[in-house]
Each structure stands twice: as C-alpha cells, then as structure tokens.
Amino acid sequence: KLPMSRPAIIVALLLVVAQVATSQRGGAGLVEGTVLRLGTGEPLSEVDVELARLEGTAGYPLGPLTYPPGDFSPGIVIRPTYPNPADLLRIRTKTDGRFSFSNLPPGTYRLLAARAGGAYHPAEYGQHHPRGRGYNFQLAEGQLMREVKLEMAATGSISGKILAADGSPAARVQVMALEASYQSGRRLLGLLQSAITDDRGEYRLFYLPPGRYFVGARFEDPQK
C-alpha cells in the first residue's frame, strides 16, 4: 500500500473536521409555519416564536447546561439554566406571520408563540382550545414539518360602572373577574383579575383571554 502524500493527508483531515462540524451543528430537520389570528386566518406580525429542544438523542445529545452569571455566596444552591441556549431558538414574525427553523437535530421539541403587549393570548403547538396546553412533539432526523399553524386568540375586556344604593357612583370598589374550576367534584371560583373603581364608579378589566367569567364586587376598606 502506497503511503499518502502530505497534501492528501491535509485534505483527509479537513474532511474529518468538516464532518465533525456538521454533526455539531445538528441535523437537517425543519419546522416552519404561520402565526394566525384565531378565527380569521389573518397573519400576525411581531410575534415571538420559540422552539425549545427538550430531549436529545444518542447521536444528537442536548448541549451542556449553563449556569447563570454573577457572584454567589458560599452554600447557595445554584440551578443551571435550562434548556441550554444552543437548544433554544427564537424568531419574530413579520407581516406575513411566517416563521422557519432549519438545520434542526432530532429530538423532542415544544413550540410556543407570544406577542408583547397583551392583545393576544399566547399559543402552543398542539393545543385544542385557545387556553389549552400544547404538547411536546418528536422530530426525526431530516424530518420536514411544513405549514404548521399557531392560532392566537385576541384578548377582551369587561368594563362598567358600580352604583351605590342611592344611585351615586361607588368609588374604591374592588371589581373581580372570577372563573370556575372543579376540584374533587366541587366548583370553585378563582380570581383571574381585579380592578378598583375610580371616582365615577367606573372600572375596566382588560387583556382577558377567551372564556366564561363571573363578575363580583366588594367595597374596599381604606383602613386595610
């Protein structure tokens, strides 16, 4: 067998380095789609879409966990940042509402969308109703997930006026938006949001996600 020449050895080493770099960058998976306003099909801009890789595979493990920067006193419990920044991808949609994540390694992922300001309720991939939980999904090596749709529901508001028994405006009244939940077969009312009426007895509860609410009111004690 003839020995390899020096240029051939250099080329072989470069090929090995290129293969290692390719494997470290990840696979050839793809997740792309559109963020839409629920019920209208209208694309939404300025939405932050986040793709988190929660579990890796034997060939494509997760990156090492990192620790938050800063000085820590002796004995303090330091929790690592999870997931590793290399396993967390973000993109902001433009006017067409499109997002695309490419060169993805195989693993278990979660896809979320949120828009600053509160006008829309956050959305997750796989949810069955606007406030439901999404689910994690598997992405195989080289798998292409196209035309994924994330539908975000617009939030609403409840406003009105509280009057005293004599018909005058009731100021400093706590108005509450309550929603029902069930525990051990019993219905419980939980507080979602509250507001205090102004000097005209008016109130406004805002950025409420779609749902059924009960509105209650009680006088605030200024001594408390």
Side-chain angles (χ1 to χ4, degrees):
K1 184 176 181 180
L2 295 176
M4 294 180 63
S5 65
R6 187 179 182 86
I9 293 175
I10 294 175
V11 171
L13 289 175
L14 289 175
L15 288 174
V16 171
V17 171
Q19 290 174 357
V20 172
T22 300
S23 65
Q24 290 176 344
R25 282 199 305 268
L30 175 74
V31 175
E32 66 178 19
T34 311
V35 182
L36 305 169
R37 177 172 177 170
L38 180 66
T40 68
E42 171 193 349
L44 293 178
S45 62
E46 301 299 316
V47 175
D48 294 311
V49 183
E50 178 182 283
L51 181 66
R53 186 167 177 252
L54 306 178
E55 296 179 9
T57 63
Y60 296 86
L62 293 176
L65 297 183
T66 59
Y67 287 83
D71 297 327
F72 302 96
S73 60
I76 191 171
V77 177
I78 304 174
R79 300 186 181 277
T81 302
Y82 182 82
N84 185 63
D87 299 309
L88 189 62
L89 303 174
R90 293 187 179 94
I91 191 171
R92 178 167 290 184
T93 62
K94 297 183 179 179
T95 55
D96 59 359
R98 300 286 298 175
F99 62 88
S100 180
F101 299 98
S102 58
N103 296 325
L104 300 173
T108 302
Y109 287 84
R110 193 171 191 88
L111 184 64
L112 308 96
R115 188 178 184 185
Y120 291 89
H121 194 65
E124 299 183 27
Y125 176 78
Q127 63 187 171
H128 296 290
H129 56 86
R131 298 178 63 185
R133 287 275 297 171
Y135 56 78
N136 303 341
F137 61 93
Q138 298 289 330
L139 187 71
E141 186 170 1
Q143 181 180 355
L144 306 179
M145 288 181 58
R146 302 183 185 274
E147 301 307 322
V148 175
K149 292 182 180 180
L150 295 176
E151 296 185 296
M152 302 183 69
T155 56
S157 64
I158 300 173
S159 60
K161 189 172 185 177
I162 304 295
L163 302 176
D166 60 1
S168 62
R172 296 192 60 81
V173 174
Q174 182 185 22
V175 184
M176 300 163 286
L178 308 166
E179 59 180 350
S181 63
Y182 291 87
Q183 183 176 354
S184 301
R186 298 178 56 192
R187 190 177 75 165
L188 304 175
L189 291 179
L191 177 64
L192 184 68
Q193 190 182 136
S194 67
I196 304 297
T197 58
D198 58 19
D199 60 319
R200 295 174 295 185
E202 297 177 348
Y203 70 90
R204 185 169 182 266
L205 303 161
F206 52 91
Y207 294 155
L208 296 171
R212 183 180 183 186
Y213 298 96
F214 300 87
V215 178
R218 66 182 180 188
F219 279 100
E220 283 282 287
D221 188 345
Q223 301 301 320
K224 293 184 179 179

